[in-house]
Amino acid sequence: MVDTLNMPSVPVLIRERAARDPSAPFITDVAGGTMTGGEFHEAALRVADAMSAIGVAPGECVATMLDPCLAAYCAWIGLGWRGALEVPINPEYKGNLLAYALNDCRARVLITSNACVDQVDAVRDRLETLERIITIDDATCPSEIPIATLASVEAEAPRIDHAEPQLADTNAVIYTSGTTGPSKGVLQAWGSIQQVQHNFSGEVIDPDQVPVYYSPWPTFHSSGRVGFVFAAVRGGHMVFRSRFSVSHYWADVREHGCTHTQLMGIAGFLMNVERRADDADNPLQWVLMNPVLPDYRDFETRFGVRVCTGWGMTEIGFPLNASNLPNAQTCGKLSPLYEVRIVDAEGGDLPDGQAGELLIRGKAPFLITRGYLNKPEANRKAWRDGWYATGDILRRDPDGYFYFLDGANDYLRVRGNNVSSLELEGEVRAHPAVAEAA
């Protein structure tokens, strides 16, 4: 098992990989294009230099609004080298949702594509801090906000040295669903997301294997980032598709030799496809499934894989995981990197078998978020005497398996992503044909 508490951060791991084996494939877009470790590291440093050249300071938030693409991952790691905080925003955001996200993080710079510029221009009168747009496209498009291509900024930027990102440094500000208020930006450390290695519980690592992680998830959420981190931590290769596709799923896995993946709420789609005699003839070995299908054993046999599961949050990482599941309801056992309590409404500890709110703390400070961006009141409420209050209701059985029962937060699950019910209601109310929504 990789010692993820005492290893370099992902950007540094990529630099070391680039020095050791610069020509080995590192990240592949199934739509076309593979970058080696050496190419990726150089591209990320060019982003860091460009951000420095336009005055982005360490600790400053820089918004990104990108579909999964090679440039999106380069921007993330490049901002990490600059010491800036990437704030990835859903490219489908418009109107109030988009204005809120840009204003809440106080971004002066937005890295996006021309496809999103009209959405930003439409709310420009409501934007409080945004000064410029950097597009990843080869040429700019008309914009009411000053715009330049990333390539042009990179071309004029001098090469400089950048401080090494540390495990305790924030890798991104990830916005989570809000219920009693708007979405909150979680300050997620490198050391938290790098625990992804432990997601595939029970795996015995083969030092001669180059693991290949398949990801069809968006980069504005951790789901689209864990495969990248997995590849960096394990010395592997990430393969991604910008959108999940049932019809392309197994073709992608077979063509690129994918060995690991995560299925969030979509495993049923794969099971519903007509069975074929060669379903198990594929390289996939490990599937992290959330939630677990009732017929997960059939899934394992049909596709020749091993199913594992887990539970986590952007704020706390992925502290529960398990393979060799005793049933389809469990969300795993506790990682040795964490401590938890299950408590009643008064904060009293509950015995095994009784349901209560899960409180958690990590055995390293970076395992739990250091807070929500610009939300002091939310930060105060999130902590109770050194324990992070998840707001989720779980129980633990006598064998140490945990079961998720309910969440204190009201949110909708759409294509594997949490959508704020409060923000959705706000958008519905804003329609002239709607009098009220609840």
Side-chain angles (χ1 to χ4, degrees), residues 72-156:
Y73 288 102
C74 290
W76 175 30
I77 302 304
L79 289 168
W81 276 110
R82 181 55 189 152
L85 311 184
E86 187 204 8
V87 184
I89 296 172
N90 188 339
E92 296 182 2
Y93 272 12
K94 299 177 182 178
N96 293 335
L97 292 176
L98 177 56
Y100 168 77
L102 289 169
N103 289 335
D104 188 65
C105 71
R106 301 169 188 169
R108 295 186 303 112
V109 177
L110 169 67
I111 302 175
T112 188
S113 67
N114 290 347
C116 294
V117 170
D118 284 348
Q119 295 158 239
V120 181
D121 275 345
V123 296
R124 65 187 181 280
D125 293 340
R126 284 180 267 170
L127 300 182
E128 301 167 358
T129 59
L130 190 66
E131 298 174 0
R132 68 169 75 197
I133 295 173
I134 305 295
T135 177
I136 63 170
D137 290 305
D138 294 334
T140 60
C141 65
S143 173
E144 298 295 327
I145 300 169
I147 187 171
T149 66
L150 179 60
S152 68
V153 178
E154 290 176 344
E156 298 176 2

Side-chain angles (χ1 to χ4, degrees), residues 51-311:
M51 293 300 101
S52 175
I54 62 174
V56 171
E60 180 177 346
C61 287
V62 173
T64 61
M65 195 173 175
L66 296 164
D67 285 317
C69 62
L70 295 171
Y73 288 102
C74 290
W76 175 30
I77 302 304
L79 289 168
W81 276 110
R82 181 55 189 152
L85 311 184
E86 187 204 8
V87 184
I89 296 172
N90 188 339
E92 296 182 2
Y93 272 12
K94 299 177 182 178
N96 293 335
L97 292 176
L98 177 56
Y100 168 77
L102 289 169
N103 289 335
D104 188 65
C105 71
R106 301 169 188 169
R108 295 186 303 112
V109 177
L110 169 67
I111 302 175
T112 188
S113 67
N114 290 347
C116 294
V117 170
D118 284 348
Q119 295 158 239
V120 181
D121 275 345
V123 296
R124 65 187 181 280
D125 293 340
R126 284 180 267 170
L127 300 182
E128 301 167 358
T129 59
L130 190 66
E131 298 174 0
R132 68 169 75 197
I133 295 173
I134 305 295
T135 177
I136 63 170
D137 290 305
D138 294 334
T140 60
C141 65
S143 173
E144 298 295 327
I145 300 169
I147 187 171
T149 66
L150 179 60
S152 68
V153 178
E154 290 176 344
E156 298 176 2
R159 299 303 298 260
I160 64 172
D161 292 329
H162 300 278
E164 289 188 356
Q166 303 297 310
L167 288 180
D169 292 342
T170 299
N171 83 76
V173 180
I174 306 291
Y175 276 79
T176 61
S177 60
T179 54
T180 58
S183 297
K184 302 183 290 294
V186 179
L187 298 167
Q188 185 186 67
W190 287 113
S192 178
I193 197 170
Q194 286 183 211
Q195 305 313 312
V196 64
Q197 155 60 29
H198 304 292
N199 288 0
F200 297 98
S201 174
E203 180 185 14
V204 178
I205 295 176
D206 180 354
D208 297 323
Q209 180 196 54
V210 177
V212 182
Y213 192 107
Y214 182 65
S215 174
W217 303 111
T219 51
F220 60 82
H221 190 267
S222 297
S223 57
R225 294 164 179 258
V226 294
F228 181 94
V229 172
F230 178 87
V233 170
R234 288 279 298 274
H237 181 187
M238 178 192 178
V239 175
F240 69 91
R241 177 175 285 276
S242 61
R243 293 287 191 278
F244 172 74
S245 167
V246 174
S247 60
H248 289 95
Y249 191 88
W250 292 111
D252 288 345
V253 166
R254 290 184 173 100
E255 179 180 352
H256 297 282
C258 300
T259 58
H260 295 68
T261 196
Q262 181 177 12
L263 296 177
M264 297 193 307
I266 60 172
F269 294 127
L270 298 178
M271 282 295 281
N272 289 338
V273 173
E274 184 177 353
R275 291 177 182 257
R276 295 172 32 168
D278 65 347
D279 277 344
D281 184 16
N282 70 79
L284 201 61
Q285 300 172 14
W286 288 87
V287 172
L288 179 64
M289 190 179 289
N290 317 94
V292 178
L293 293 175
D295 54 349
Y296 71 96
R297 291 297 188 194
D298 185 24
F299 188 98
E300 289 183 320
T301 301
R302 176 180 174 183
F303 296 112
V305 299
R306 187 168 176 181
V307 169
C308 55
T309 192
W311 172 87

